[in-house]
Amino acid sequence: MANIAAQRIKREFKEVIKSEEVAKCAIKLELVDDNYTELRGEIAGPPDTAYEGGNFLLEIKVPETYPFNPPKVRFMTRIWHPNISSVTGAICLDILKDQWAAAMTLRTVLLSLQALLSAAEPDDPQDAVVARQYKENLEMFKLTARHWTNVYAGGPNVNPECDEKIKRLIDMGIEEHQARVALSSYNWDLERATEQLFS
Amino acid sequence: MFRFIASFFTKLIQMMLQVLSSKKHIIHNLLSIYVKTSGGQTVCLDIDPKCDVSHIKKLVAPQINLQPDELKIIFAGKELADDYVIEECDLGQQSILHVVKIKSPKLNEVFRCSTPKANLSPLTESLDYSTFSSEDENTEKPLERKAHFYVYCPNCKGLKQGKLRVRCHFCKSGAFTVHSDPQDWSHVLQPKQITGTCENDPEYCQELLQNCEPTFAEFYFKCSEHVSLGECDQAVPLDLIRPNLRHIPCLACLDVPETMFTFPCQKDHIACLDCFRSYCLSKLLERQFWQHPEHGYTLACPNGCLNSFIREIHHFRLLDDDNYDRYQRFATEEFVLRSGGLLCPQPGCGMGILAEPDCTRITCQQCKYVFCRNCLQGFHIGPCDPVEPSLDAQGNCDVDLNCPVVEDPSRTTIKVITKPCPSCKTPTERDGGCMHMICTRSGCQFHWCWVCQTEWTRECMADHWFA
């Protein structure tokens, strides 16, 4: 059984390498091991979104029953998005679950994830906190997502105000990422974030 | 002198050729066939496959006291014309030809002249695979004109090439000629699609039907890879396995196979046989087959196409013996559970039991275990033991695993880490994500809440979606 999965991934790997998206640096795919069961994907943040300019790494694990079951995909780069867990990087996307079809490929998965970054589905969230912010305060959501893209995915938009607030919490002895999560969850309200961290 | 040498050499060459050709003649295997008469007499013949049908008539006629031109030879739903070479008729060893007496030779002469030759060719010659697939006119015709059918042969126990045969729907006699060739699979697989003439005893069949409907052909398949064991030796047609004439790539491994499994969907999704086997096996081990009310325990196209269930479940014979046994066991279990029955909880038994709805004391007929219908534990009087190990919302186990009751450890583990689906009671494990559960059992797909253990509601969403 594993033979079919490996054979298929081999072909798909070639397909991705030759694709025009790779030529445009929109997606990337690398092998992690020699037996084609684990791969590393990379997608560029789509233009005109909060993720523009960032590069997001993905962990792709191919099950033995591929392509009859979907690959297991997770964001390795931290990201602020309603359908992606800010803690684990787990993705809520129908094609990676019950809507998977055997004709789909790693290329279509990478492109679908890129599309998910341009069009979130806040009604089917993976991260409840992010989803609430997305629905209640879209501007704040965009600011936060842009900041995370800058810090974790190499995005160009530095936000001195955010950095300043995080620095204040670090000075109080809080770890940097923990500080960022608390501030992000409380719409960058320093007082409430501090309260939550010390409660 | 020169002339003499030349003629000598020509003679020599001719002689050598003769020797060679006669040797070639000897090499030919004789075909052993049976010829069955309408009177029930069977004549056994050993013939050269290169001879034609008129030769057979000459051999048979004296044995049944008739003239060769009074005979009509019928095979696979067609009368064979005199000039047909036996080799081209797809006859195997021990095949049965049917011979009937022409009612009035003179009349038949007139009739025969008006019949186009095509109608006198054997069925397998007039049918090629393109008539059995929805291919457009532009595609190249296959070089080999013979139809390739695939069957599951119960004798050889496996996937084999098959051959199409015809008999009378009513008296089951093979002395039957069809009025038209079947044009697609439905004509062959569904009964009473093609009419014909029963040549065995037309009056008998007409009388049987009281002239209210025409005599119909009945198509059936035989395995072409073993010597025929007689008229009862049949095989199940696997109509979804076909030659890949259009060179479609397999949807899983992307190779272009010679023989393909065609999923019954609108989009022509195909798989090579190895990938089809893998697909069946992976879905079988995950218990993701569907219990279809008409077709049975089956699968649909792996691309999720609508209404693409496999109808002929003998296609799952492509699984190896152990897994086919497993397939049959799962199918039976699914059927028993869906019919309101239950399975004996004794390890290693699992007997299916259909009991009266209000009966709670169940005795397994197989292992004699007596158990309570509601809690599936040994039978007891009074209410079931309410203390069952379960997880709280945080996933912590609230039961002492060292409890004195001796139990099957895997059963204890299942109890500890799972909760039953509120709809189908399938033990379900939550391995992360939110509290919104969707039952993965095929045919259930119930949406439920891990915390409340009831149907998923907007209240669950507002209150404890993630914790």
Side-chain angles (χ1 to χ4, degrees), chain A residues 1 4 7-8 11-12 65-69 98 100-105 122-129 132 135, chain B residues 250-256 269 274-276 278-279 281-283 285-286 302-304 433-434 438 461-462 465-466:
Chain A
M1 195 182 304
I4 293 172
Q7 194 186 341
R8 164 84 176 238
R11 284 184 188 234
E12 287 188 26
T65 51
Y66 188 81
F68 304 118
N69 283 328
D98 54 329
W100 171 257
M104 291 177 184
T105 64
D123 290 322
D124 191 13
Q126 179 71 35
D127 195 308
V129 178
R132 194 174 301 136
K135 288 176 96 168
Chain B
C250 163
L251 60 77
C253 69
L254 311 175
D255 276 344
V256 178
H269 289 137
D274 276 344
C275 286
F276 175 69
S278 299
Y279 173 55
L281 193 59
S282 68
K283 294 295 148 190
L285 298 181
E286 292 163 21
N303 274 339
C434 61
I438 302 170
M461 208 187 277
W465 194 343
F466 285 87

Side-chain angles (χ1 to χ4, degrees), chain B residues 91-258:
Chain B
L91 274 175
Q93 287 288 356
Q94 329 243 305
S95 283
I96 299 167
L97 292 180
H98 293 267
V99 57
V100 290
K101 190 189 168 198
I102 296 164
K103 293 279 137 53
S104 148
K106 268 188 185 168
L107 189 83
N108 204 273
E109 209 59 53
V110 179
F111 171 72
R112 236 183 235 185
C113 293
S114 62
T115 317
K117 173 120 195 298
N119 214 22
L120 292 174
S121 65
L123 192 63
T124 38
E125 283 286 299
S126 56
L127 278 184
D128 64 52
Y129 225 94
S130 54
T131 50
F132 274 85
S133 48
S134 51
E135 282 168 47
D136 35 328
E137 295 292 312
N138 305 336
T139 49
E140 274 177 57
K141 286 256 171 178
L143 287 172
E144 209 181 341
R145 290 260 308 162
K146 243 177 216 171
H148 276 298
F149 301 105
Y150 291 92
V151 293
Y152 172 74
C153 172
N155 187 57
C156 311
K157 301 221 180 304
L159 174 72
K160 298 285 162 194
Q161 284 202 9
K163 42 195 185 185
L164 180 64
R165 294 292 178 260
V166 193
R167 62 189 169 205
C168 172
H169 182 78
F170 304 97
C171 70
K172 310 290 178 200
S173 161
F176 188 92
T177 50
V178 290
H179 292 156
S180 60
D181 289 337
Q183 294 305 310
D184 60 54
W185 272 105
S186 67
H187 289 159
V188 171
L189 296 177
Q190 286 161 25
K192 298 193 178 181
Q193 297 292 316
I194 302 274
T195 58
T197 310
C198 181
E199 314 265 359
N200 179 39
D201 192 351
E203 286 84 15
Y204 170 75
C205 282
Q206 288 292 323
E207 212 171 286
L208 205 71
L209 294 165
Q210 296 168 336
N211 289 323
C212 48
E213 58 176 69
T215 40
F216 280 105
E218 183 176 275
F219 292 93
Y220 64 103
F221 287 82
K222 289 175 94 82
C223 169
S224 27
E225 295 178 39
H226 71 263
V227 175
S228 176
L229 303 171
E231 282 176 326
C232 302
D233 179 25
Q234 287 190 36
V236 191
L238 301 180
D239 58 303
L240 298 176
I241 299 174
R242 300 170 189 178
N244 188 5
L245 304 177
R246 282 188 292 156
H247 311 293
I248 311 170
C250 163
L251 60 77
C253 69
L254 311 175
D255 276 344
V256 178
E258 259 177 50

